[in-house]
Short mmCIF file of all heavy atoms in Angstrom, two decimals:
data_model
loop_
_atom_site.label_atom_id
_atom_site.label_comp_id
_atom_site.label_asym_id
_atom_site.label_seq_id
_atom_site.Cartn_x
_atom_site.Cartn_y
_atom_site.Cartn_z
N ILE A 409 1.87 14.71 20.07
CA ILE A 409 1.84 15.06 18.74
C ILE A 409 3.14 15.95 18.64
O ILE A 409 3.58 16.72 19.42
CB ILE A 409 0.58 15.92 18.43
CG1 ILE A 409 0.49 15.99 16.87
CG2 ILE A 409 0.55 17.23 19.03
CD1 ILE A 409 -0.87 16.27 16.41
N LYS A 411 3.70 18.17 16.10
CA LYS A 411 3.41 19.59 15.67
C LYS A 411 2.02 19.94 15.90
O LYS A 411 1.15 19.66 15.28
CB LYS A 411 3.66 19.58 14.14
CG LYS A 411 5.04 19.46 13.65
CD LYS A 411 5.29 19.68 12.16
CE LYS A 411 4.63 18.60 11.38
NZ LYS A 411 4.91 18.66 9.98
N PRO A 412 1.84 20.62 17.12
CA PRO A 412 0.51 21.12 17.47
C PRO A 412 0.07 22.12 16.44
O PRO A 412 -1.20 22.38 16.47
CB PRO A 412 0.71 21.64 18.92
CG PRO A 412 2.09 21.91 19.00
CD PRO A 412 2.75 20.91 18.14
N THR A 413 0.81 22.87 15.81
CA THR A 413 0.48 23.83 14.77
C THR A 413 1.13 23.46 13.48
O THR A 413 2.35 23.21 13.37
CB THR A 413 0.92 25.29 15.15
OG1 THR A 413 0.30 25.61 16.37
CG2 THR A 413 0.57 26.29 14.12
N PHE A 414 0.36 23.34 12.32
CA PHE A 414 0.95 22.96 11.04
C PHE A 414 0.07 23.67 10.00
O PHE A 414 -1.18 24.04 10.23
CB PHE A 414 1.09 21.59 10.84
CG PHE A 414 -0.16 20.66 11.15
CD1 PHE A 414 -0.97 20.38 9.99
CD2 PHE A 414 -0.47 20.23 12.29
CE1 PHE A 414 -2.08 19.58 10.12
CE2 PHE A 414 -1.58 19.43 12.51
CZ PHE A 414 -2.43 19.24 11.43
N ALA A 420 0.91 15.90 10.71
CA ALA A 420 1.52 15.79 11.95
C ALA A 420 1.53 14.32 12.36
O ALA A 420 0.64 13.51 11.89
CB ALA A 420 0.71 16.63 13.05
N LEU A 422 1.03 11.70 15.33
CA LEU A 422 0.33 11.50 16.62
C LEU A 422 0.70 10.01 17.17
O LEU A 422 0.65 9.17 16.47
CB LEU A 422 -1.15 11.62 16.51
CG LEU A 422 -1.99 11.23 17.70
CD1 LEU A 422 -1.89 12.36 18.80
CD2 LEU A 422 -3.47 11.10 17.38
N VAL A 444 -12.13 13.42 14.93
CA VAL A 444 -12.49 14.82 14.91
C VAL A 444 -12.95 15.25 13.58
O VAL A 444 -12.30 14.95 12.61
CB VAL A 444 -11.32 15.74 15.44
CG1 VAL A 444 -11.74 17.23 15.50
CG2 VAL A 444 -10.83 15.32 16.82
N LEU A 447 -10.62 16.39 10.44
CA LEU A 447 -9.20 15.88 10.56
C LEU A 447 -9.37 14.38 10.16
O LEU A 447 -10.27 13.61 10.49
CB LEU A 447 -8.78 15.89 12.05
CG LEU A 447 -8.57 17.31 12.64
CD1 LEU A 447 -8.06 17.21 14.16
CD2 LEU A 447 -7.57 18.18 11.81
N PHE A 449 -7.20 10.85 10.42
CA PHE A 449 -6.21 9.97 11.16
C PHE A 449 -6.03 8.74 10.35
O PHE A 449 -6.79 7.84 10.30
CB PHE A 449 -6.73 9.65 12.55
CG PHE A 449 -7.10 10.87 13.45
CD1 PHE A 449 -8.35 11.53 13.39
CD2 PHE A 449 -6.14 11.48 14.18
CE1 PHE A 449 -8.57 12.64 14.06
CE2 PHE A 449 -6.33 12.55 15.02
CZ PHE A 449 -7.61 13.14 14.93
N VAL A 471 -1.73 12.66 10.92
CA VAL A 471 -2.90 13.54 11.07
C VAL A 471 -2.76 14.55 9.91
O VAL A 471 -1.89 15.27 9.76
CB VAL A 471 -3.05 14.19 12.40
CG1 VAL A 471 -4.26 14.97 12.55
CG2 VAL A 471 -2.85 13.18 13.54
N GLY A 477 -8.13 25.83 10.88
CA GLY A 477 -8.87 26.33 12.12
C GLY A 477 -8.24 25.65 13.35
O GLY A 477 -7.13 24.96 13.27
N THR A 478 -8.87 25.75 14.50
CA THR A 478 -8.43 25.20 15.73
C THR A 478 -9.35 24.06 16.10
O THR A 478 -10.48 24.14 16.18
CB THR A 478 -8.39 26.23 16.88
OG1 THR A 478 -7.58 27.40 16.58
CG2 THR A 478 -7.99 25.68 18.27
N PHE A 479 -8.68 22.88 16.44
CA PHE A 479 -9.38 21.56 16.60
C PHE A 479 -9.05 21.13 18.02
O PHE A 479 -7.82 21.13 18.36
CB PHE A 479 -9.08 20.65 15.58
CG PHE A 479 -9.45 21.13 14.20
CD1 PHE A 479 -8.43 21.71 13.40
CD2 PHE A 479 -10.64 20.90 13.54
CE1 PHE A 479 -8.66 22.13 12.19
CE2 PHE A 479 -10.90 21.32 12.30
CZ PHE A 479 -9.94 21.96 11.59
N THR A 480 -9.98 20.58 18.72
CA THR A 480 -9.82 19.93 19.93
C THR A 480 -9.88 18.38 19.82
O THR A 480 -10.98 17.94 19.39
CB THR A 480 -10.82 20.39 21.01
OG1 THR A 480 -10.64 21.87 21.30
CG2 THR A 480 -10.52 19.71 22.36
N LEU A 481 -8.86 17.75 20.16
CA LEU A 481 -8.88 16.23 20.13
C LEU A 481 -9.18 15.83 21.60
O LEU A 481 -8.28 15.93 22.47
CB LEU A 481 -7.51 15.76 19.66
CG LEU A 481 -7.24 14.21 19.63
CD1 LEU A 481 -8.39 13.59 18.84
CD2 LEU A 481 -5.91 13.85 19.03
N LEU A 516 -5.89 17.22 23.41
CA LEU A 516 -4.88 18.00 22.74
C LEU A 516 -5.60 18.94 21.86
O LEU A 516 -6.81 18.92 21.43
CB LEU A 516 -4.18 17.00 21.72
CG LEU A 516 -3.18 16.07 22.26
CD1 LEU A 516 -2.60 15.18 21.15
CD2 LEU A 516 -2.07 16.79 23.03
N THR A 517 -4.96 20.18 21.64
CA THR A 517 -5.51 21.19 20.82
C THR A 517 -4.56 21.34 19.52
O THR A 517 -3.31 21.57 19.75
CB THR A 517 -5.56 22.52 21.54
OG1 THR A 517 -6.45 22.42 22.70
CG2 THR A 517 -6.12 23.67 20.64
N LEU A 518 -5.14 21.30 18.43
CA LEU A 518 -4.37 21.38 17.20
C LEU A 518 -4.75 22.56 16.31
O LEU A 518 -5.93 22.92 16.42
CB LEU A 518 -4.62 20.18 16.25
CG LEU A 518 -4.39 18.81 16.88
CD1 LEU A 518 -4.62 17.72 15.89
CD2 LEU A 518 -2.97 18.64 17.40
N THR A 519 -3.82 23.31 15.76
CA THR A 519 -4.04 24.52 15.03
C THR A 519 -3.61 24.32 13.56
O THR A 519 -2.46 24.01 13.38
CB THR A 519 -3.45 25.78 15.58
OG1 THR A 519 -3.87 25.93 16.93
CG2 THR A 519 -3.82 26.99 14.73
N VAL A 520 -4.54 24.34 12.63
CA VAL A 520 -4.16 24.26 11.18
C VAL A 520 -4.29 25.58 10.58
O VAL A 520 -5.36 26.27 10.52
CB VAL A 520 -5.15 23.27 10.53
CG1 VAL A 520 -4.69 23.03 9.11
CG2 VAL A 520 -4.99 21.82 11.23
#
Side-chain angles (χ1 to χ4, degrees):
I409 195 160
K411 290 184 290 187
T413 300
F414 56 93
L422 173 69
V444 179
L447 293 183
F449 298 88
V471 186
T478 300
F479 304 91
T480 298
L481 179 54
L516 292 176
T517 299
L518 309 181
T519 301
V520 181

